[in-house]
Short mmCIF file of all heavy atoms in Angstrom, two decimals:
data_model
loop_
_atom_site.label_atom_id
_atom_site.label_comp_id
_atom_site.label_asym_id
_atom_site.label_seq_id
_atom_site.Cartn_x
_atom_site.Cartn_y
_atom_site.Cartn_z
N PRO B 1558 -33.29 12.77 59.02
CA PRO B 1558 -33.83 12.94 60.38
C PRO B 1558 -32.85 13.56 61.35
O PRO B 1558 -31.63 13.07 61.43
CB PRO B 1558 -34.18 11.46 60.75
CG PRO B 1558 -34.08 10.62 59.52
CD PRO B 1558 -33.18 11.36 58.57
N ARG B 1559 -33.28 14.49 62.06
CA ARG B 1559 -32.37 15.13 63.08
C ARG B 1559 -31.87 14.10 64.12
O ARG B 1559 -30.75 14.23 64.58
CB ARG B 1559 -33.15 16.27 63.80
CG ARG B 1559 -33.56 17.36 62.97
CD ARG B 1559 -32.38 18.36 62.65
NE ARG B 1559 -32.57 18.79 61.28
CZ ARG B 1559 -31.61 19.45 60.61
NH1 ARG B 1559 -30.41 19.64 61.16
NH2 ARG B 1559 -31.80 19.82 59.39
N SER B 1560 -32.73 13.19 64.42
CA SER B 1560 -32.40 12.27 65.53
C SER B 1560 -31.11 11.47 65.14
O SER B 1560 -30.22 11.26 66.06
CB SER B 1560 -33.52 11.27 65.73
OG SER B 1560 -33.88 10.61 64.52
N VAL B 1561 -30.88 11.13 63.86
CA VAL B 1561 -29.72 10.40 63.49
C VAL B 1561 -28.48 11.29 63.77
O VAL B 1561 -27.47 10.76 64.28
CB VAL B 1561 -29.86 10.02 62.04
CG1 VAL B 1561 -28.61 9.23 61.57
CG2 VAL B 1561 -31.11 9.24 61.70
N LEU B 1562 -28.58 12.51 63.34
CA LEU B 1562 -27.41 13.40 63.51
C LEU B 1562 -27.13 13.64 64.99
O LEU B 1562 -25.96 13.65 65.41
CB LEU B 1562 -27.73 14.78 62.81
CG LEU B 1562 -27.74 14.69 61.33
CD1 LEU B 1562 -28.24 16.05 60.76
CD2 LEU B 1562 -26.41 14.34 60.72
N GLU B 1563 -28.24 13.80 65.74
CA GLU B 1563 -27.96 14.01 67.22
C GLU B 1563 -27.32 12.77 67.89
O GLU B 1563 -26.40 12.91 68.66
CB GLU B 1563 -29.37 14.36 67.80
CG GLU B 1563 -29.72 15.84 67.65
CD GLU B 1563 -31.23 16.06 67.80
OE1 GLU B 1563 -31.89 15.14 68.32
OE2 GLU B 1563 -31.71 17.20 67.35
N ALA B 1564 -27.80 11.66 67.46
CA ALA B 1564 -27.19 10.44 67.97
C ALA B 1564 -25.73 10.39 67.68
O ALA B 1564 -24.91 10.09 68.57
CB ALA B 1564 -27.87 9.23 67.39
N ALA B 1565 -25.42 10.71 66.46
CA ALA B 1565 -23.94 10.69 66.04
C ALA B 1565 -23.16 11.68 66.89
O ALA B 1565 -22.01 11.42 67.30
CB ALA B 1565 -23.83 11.00 64.58
N ALA B 1566 -23.78 12.84 67.12
CA ALA B 1566 -23.10 13.87 67.87
C ALA B 1566 -22.91 13.42 69.31
O ALA B 1566 -21.82 13.62 69.88
CB ALA B 1566 -23.96 15.19 67.88
N ILE B 1567 -23.86 12.78 69.86
CA ILE B 1567 -23.77 12.31 71.23
C ILE B 1567 -22.66 11.21 71.33
O ILE B 1567 -21.90 11.16 72.26
CB ILE B 1567 -25.16 11.67 71.73
CG1 ILE B 1567 -26.05 12.88 71.87
CG2 ILE B 1567 -24.96 10.99 73.04
CD1 ILE B 1567 -27.53 12.43 72.02
N ASP B 1568 -22.50 10.44 70.26
CA ASP B 1568 -21.47 9.39 70.25
C ASP B 1568 -20.09 10.04 70.11
O ASP B 1568 -19.07 9.35 70.02
CB ASP B 1568 -21.69 8.43 69.04
CG ASP B 1568 -22.81 7.50 69.40
OD1 ASP B 1568 -23.25 7.50 70.57
OD2 ASP B 1568 -23.39 6.83 68.43
N GLY B 1569 -20.00 11.38 69.89
CA GLY B 1569 -18.71 12.09 69.83
C GLY B 1569 -18.23 12.30 68.42
O GLY B 1569 -17.04 12.69 68.27
N ALA B 1570 -19.09 12.15 67.38
CA ALA B 1570 -18.60 12.46 66.06
C ALA B 1570 -18.49 13.93 65.77
O ALA B 1570 -19.47 14.62 66.06
CB ALA B 1570 -19.51 11.73 65.00
N ARG B 1571 -17.36 14.41 65.29
CA ARG B 1571 -17.19 15.83 64.99
C ARG B 1571 -17.93 16.15 63.67
O ARG B 1571 -18.26 15.21 62.94
CB ARG B 1571 -15.76 16.20 64.93
CG ARG B 1571 -14.90 15.76 66.17
CD ARG B 1571 -13.56 16.32 66.12
NE ARG B 1571 -13.56 17.76 66.27
CZ ARG B 1571 -13.73 18.46 67.41
NH1 ARG B 1571 -13.86 17.79 68.56
NH2 ARG B 1571 -13.70 19.77 67.45
N PRO B 1572 -18.15 17.43 63.39
CA PRO B 1572 -18.93 17.78 62.26
C PRO B 1572 -18.51 17.16 60.94
O PRO B 1572 -19.22 16.66 60.15
CB PRO B 1572 -18.86 19.32 62.12
CG PRO B 1572 -18.60 19.73 63.60
CD PRO B 1572 -17.85 18.65 64.21
N ALA B 1573 -17.16 17.20 60.70
CA ALA B 1573 -16.69 16.68 59.48
C ALA B 1573 -16.98 15.19 59.37
O ALA B 1573 -17.38 14.64 58.30
CB ALA B 1573 -15.11 16.89 59.31
N ARG B 1574 -16.76 14.46 60.42
CA ARG B 1574 -17.05 13.08 60.47
C ARG B 1574 -18.53 12.75 60.32
O ARG B 1574 -18.96 11.86 59.57
CB ARG B 1574 -16.51 12.46 61.80
CG ARG B 1574 -16.41 10.92 61.79
CD ARG B 1574 -15.95 10.47 63.12
NE ARG B 1574 -16.32 9.06 63.24
CZ ARG B 1574 -15.51 8.04 62.80
NH1 ARG B 1574 -14.39 8.35 62.12
NH2 ARG B 1574 -15.89 6.82 62.91
N ARG B 1575 -19.29 13.58 60.94
CA ARG B 1575 -20.78 13.38 60.83
C ARG B 1575 -21.19 13.54 59.37
O ARG B 1575 -22.01 12.82 58.81
CB ARG B 1575 -21.52 14.48 61.60
CG ARG B 1575 -21.56 14.27 63.15
CD ARG B 1575 -22.81 14.86 63.77
NE ARG B 1575 -22.89 16.28 63.66
CZ ARG B 1575 -22.25 17.16 64.52
NH1 ARG B 1575 -21.49 16.70 65.49
NH2 ARG B 1575 -22.40 18.41 64.38
N PHE B 1576 -20.52 14.54 58.64
CA PHE B 1576 -20.90 14.80 57.25
C PHE B 1576 -20.50 13.58 56.40
O PHE B 1576 -21.36 13.02 55.66
CB PHE B 1576 -20.18 15.99 56.73
CG PHE B 1576 -20.43 16.27 55.29
CD1 PHE B 1576 -21.57 16.88 54.90
CD2 PHE B 1576 -19.53 15.90 54.34
CE1 PHE B 1576 -21.86 17.05 53.55
CE2 PHE B 1576 -19.77 16.06 52.94
CZ PHE B 1576 -20.93 16.67 52.59
N TRP B 1577 -19.31 13.06 56.51
CA TRP B 1577 -18.89 11.98 55.64
C TRP B 1577 -19.48 10.64 55.97
O TRP B 1577 -19.66 9.77 55.11
CB TRP B 1577 -17.38 11.91 55.58
CG TRP B 1577 -16.79 13.07 54.90
CD1 TRP B 1577 -15.94 14.05 55.47
CD2 TRP B 1577 -16.89 13.41 53.51
NE1 TRP B 1577 -15.62 14.92 54.55
CE2 TRP B 1577 -16.15 14.61 53.34
CE3 TRP B 1577 -17.54 12.82 52.43
CZ2 TRP B 1577 -16.13 15.26 52.11
CZ3 TRP B 1577 -17.49 13.44 51.22
CH2 TRP B 1577 -16.74 14.64 51.02
N THR B 1578 -19.80 10.42 57.26
CA THR B 1578 -20.32 9.06 57.57
C THR B 1578 -21.83 9.01 57.65
O THR B 1578 -22.46 7.97 57.51
CB THR B 1578 -19.75 8.60 58.94
OG1 THR B 1578 -20.03 9.55 59.88
CG2 THR B 1578 -18.24 8.35 58.83
N VAL B 1579 -22.48 10.13 57.90
CA VAL B 1579 -23.92 10.04 58.04
C VAL B 1579 -24.67 10.80 56.90
O VAL B 1579 -25.41 10.23 56.14
CB VAL B 1579 -24.39 10.65 59.40
CG1 VAL B 1579 -25.93 10.58 59.54
CG2 VAL B 1579 -23.67 9.95 60.51
N ILE B 1580 -24.28 12.13 56.78
CA ILE B 1580 -25.08 12.91 55.76
C ILE B 1580 -24.77 12.46 54.37
O ILE B 1580 -25.68 12.21 53.59
CB ILE B 1580 -24.66 14.43 56.01
CG1 ILE B 1580 -25.06 14.84 57.35
CG2 ILE B 1580 -25.36 15.23 54.91
CD1 ILE B 1580 -24.73 16.31 57.65
N PHE B 1581 -23.47 12.30 54.02
CA PHE B 1581 -23.14 12.02 52.58
C PHE B 1581 -23.77 10.70 52.10
O PHE B 1581 -24.36 10.68 51.04
CB PHE B 1581 -21.62 12.05 52.46
CG PHE B 1581 -21.18 12.11 51.00
CD1 PHE B 1581 -21.43 13.20 50.24
CD2 PHE B 1581 -20.58 10.94 50.44
CE1 PHE B 1581 -20.98 13.29 49.00
CE2 PHE B 1581 -20.26 11.00 49.11
CZ PHE B 1581 -20.42 12.16 48.35
N PRO B 1582 -23.71 9.66 52.91
CA PRO B 1582 -24.36 8.42 52.40
C PRO B 1582 -25.86 8.58 52.26
O PRO B 1582 -26.41 8.01 51.33
CB PRO B 1582 -23.99 7.34 53.49
CG PRO B 1582 -22.81 7.91 54.17
CD PRO B 1582 -22.87 9.39 54.11
N LEU B 1583 -26.49 9.25 53.19
CA LEU B 1583 -27.89 9.41 53.08
C LEU B 1583 -28.33 10.31 51.92
O LEU B 1583 -29.40 10.29 51.41
CB LEU B 1583 -28.47 10.04 54.39
CG LEU B 1583 -28.56 9.05 55.56
CD1 LEU B 1583 -28.96 9.71 56.81
CD2 LEU B 1583 -29.56 7.98 55.21
N LEU B 1584 -27.35 11.16 51.41
CA LEU B 1584 -27.62 11.98 50.30
C LEU B 1584 -27.36 11.23 49.00
O LEU B 1584 -27.59 11.75 47.90
CB LEU B 1584 -26.73 13.24 50.34
CG LEU B 1584 -27.26 14.45 51.12
CD1 LEU B 1584 -26.21 15.54 50.99
CD2 LEU B 1584 -28.61 14.88 50.55
N ALA B 1585 -26.81 10.04 49.01
CA ALA B 1585 -26.34 9.31 47.90
C ALA B 1585 -27.37 9.25 46.72
O ALA B 1585 -27.08 9.54 45.56
CB ALA B 1585 -25.84 7.94 48.18
N PRO B 1586 -28.65 8.95 47.07
CA PRO B 1586 -29.65 8.84 46.00
C PRO B 1586 -29.78 10.18 45.32
O PRO B 1586 -29.85 10.24 44.05
CB PRO B 1586 -30.94 8.49 46.71
CG PRO B 1586 -30.65 8.03 48.02
CD PRO B 1586 -29.26 8.54 48.33
N THR B 1587 -29.87 11.27 46.07
CA THR B 1587 -30.04 12.62 45.46
C THR B 1587 -28.76 12.86 44.63
O THR B 1587 -28.89 13.35 43.52
CB THR B 1587 -30.06 13.68 46.59
OG1 THR B 1587 -31.01 13.21 47.53
CG2 THR B 1587 -30.52 15.03 45.98
N SER B 1588 -27.64 12.57 45.15
CA SER B 1588 -26.38 12.89 44.42
C SER B 1588 -26.33 12.11 43.07
O SER B 1588 -25.98 12.66 42.03
CB SER B 1588 -25.15 12.44 45.17
OG SER B 1588 -25.13 13.07 46.49
#
Side-chain angles (χ1 to χ4, degrees):
Chain B
R1559 293 283 141 193
S1560 53
V1561 182
L1562 290 173
E1563 281 158 12
I1567 291 166
D1568 287 345
R1571 306 188 67 80
R1574 195 181 159 84
R1575 286 208 296 277
F1576 177 79
W1577 289 114
T1578 55
V1579 181
I1580 299 178
F1581 194 69
L1583 282 173
L1584 273 180
T1587 315
S1588 307

